[in-house]
Amino acid sequence: MTHHTITTSIGDQLIERKQEIANKIFSDLLAAYPTHYMEAGRNESLPYFEQLIEQLGEGLLRGEKNEDKSSQWGKEIGRLACSQGVPLNMSISKSSLYKKVVLEDIILRNDDFVSKEILLQITHDIDQSFTKMISAFCEAYSEYAEEQLKISVEKYLSLSTPVVPIFSDLAVLPLIGQVDEVRGEMMAEHVLLECKKLSIHKLIIDLSGVYEVNPLFQQGIMKLIDSLKLLGIEPILSGMRPEMSIEFVQIGINISSMKIYQSLNKAVEAH
């Protein structure tokens, strides 16, 4: 038989026996990771393994590496593993187990009549597919980490810049701590959306919890104030200490036209 005939025959074998091989993969996972896999999850996991084996078989049938499909499968499984809290090193270890089961099955059923050169070539082709899958695993984990970081930042911003309604048209924004670059960039957008949602006409920006004023903080406050004015919302400042007002003046920020109160209580009483 020619090289192509043998390769396509092995591809056919994989596709025809994908259910059996998929079950072998799951059984080996049960043995290797008893705390993460249970027999009850077999039926849920088998379709993913069958899809993997079918892709490998189709690649041998067509003489293609199926790199795009390998990446797609790896990314899908990687994102699934991320959402289940599976560590990246475990996902990579499991992919080695998948490859071991597939290659052992091929060798067991074809070793007697297929030359070692052809088996080595098939092993190389399948190994390349798994390398692509592992790369996609890593990419999925990286993307998932970025998404989780973004969600964490948004949660942090919503907690660190709460718009608290006082009356039907009046709310307070108590600022605490420093305003860094990320917080400064997103603060205005978050606060404006909250004011719009609450139909706020006046917003008291309370600075009594801010103990360090830096350029990022000043820029963030002025961006917020300007944006509020554009939306017809009156910005009111409270809790500004003398040294803070001096720093505002020194960098050329004019707040003389705004209502400024010594304390939050006085600002609320006046409105």
Side-chain angles (χ1 to χ4, degrees), residues 218-237:
Q218 294 161 337
Q219 293 168 15
I221 289 295
M222 293 316 300
K223 181 179 179 180
L224 174 59
I225 289 172
D226 291 340
S227 299
L228 288 168
K229 288 178 179 178
L230 287 173
L231 289 181
I233 300 170
E234 181 184 0
I236 302 163
L237 294 179

Side-chain angles (χ1 to χ4, degrees), residues 40 45 130 174 199 214 262:
S45 300
F130 274 98
S199 299
N214 55 47
Q262 187 177 7

Side-chain angles (χ1 to χ4, degrees), residues 97-271:
L97 183 149
Y98 307 157
K99 180 170 65 175
K100 178 175 177 289
V101 172
V102 172
L103 290 177
E104 283 180 349
D105 188 86
I106 291 173
I107 293 170
L108 180 65
R109 297 182 179 280
N110 300 278
D111 192 38
D112 292 339
F113 62 90
V114 176
S115 69
K116 287 182 171 54
E117 290 76 10
I118 294 178
L119 284 176
L120 282 172
Q121 183 60 52
I122 290 173
T123 300
H124 174 73
D125 292 343
I126 289 177
D127 189 63
Q128 281 191 314
S129 295
F130 274 98
T131 299
K132 201 71 178 177
M133 290 173 196
I134 292 172
S135 176
F137 277 157
C138 297
E139 186 179 349
Y141 271 82
S142 176
E143 290 177 358
Y144 186 82
E146 289 179 6
E147 289 172 6
Q148 293 305 303
L149 177 60
K150 184 177 179 181
I151 292 171
S152 297
V153 168
E154 289 174 351
K155 287 181 179 178
Y156 159 73
L157 288 170
S158 65
L159 292 172
S160 64
T161 54
V163 176
V164 183
I166 302 297
F167 303 121
S168 60
D169 65 343
L170 175 67
V172 175
L173 172 64
L175 290 180
I176 300 173
Q178 296 183 1
V179 176
D180 56 20
E181 185 174 2
V182 174
R183 190 177 175 191
E185 282 292 321
M186 300 184 68
M187 179 175 64
E189 181 180 354
H190 170 74
V191 172
L192 293 175
L193 288 172
E194 286 298 299
C195 287
K196 185 177 179 181
K197 186 192 303 182
L198 297 168
S199 299
I200 298 301
H201 297 153
K202 299 177 183 179
L203 180 67
I204 300 173
I205 304 171
D206 183 57
L207 305 173
S208 57
V210 178
Y211 294 95
E212 181 180 346
V213 178
N214 55 47
L216 288 175
F217 173 83
Q218 294 161 337
Q219 293 168 15
I221 289 295
M222 293 316 300
K223 181 179 179 180
L224 174 59
I225 289 172
D226 291 340
S227 299
L228 288 168
K229 288 178 179 178
L230 287 173
L231 289 181
I233 300 170
E234 181 184 0
I236 302 163
L237 294 179
S238 70
M240 178 178 284
R241 296 185 303 281
E243 63 271 22
M244 193 180 297
S245 61
I246 292 172
E247 290 178 354
F248 271 78
V249 171
Q250 285 177 342
I251 65 168
I253 296 176
N254 183 11
I255 56 175
S256 59
S257 61
M258 294 179 58
K259 293 179 180 178
I260 304 174
Y261 295 88
Q262 187 177 7
S263 68
L264 177 59
N265 286 342
K266 291 184 178 181
V268 174
E269 288 173 1
H271 294 85

Side-chain angles (χ1 to χ4, degrees), residues 22 25-26 29 45-54 73 98:
I25 288 175
F26 191 85
L29 286 172
S45 300
L46 288 183
Y48 293 105
F49 301 145
E50 289 176 13
Q51 183 183 19
L52 166 64
I53 296 159
E54 186 169 354
W73 188 88
Y98 307 157

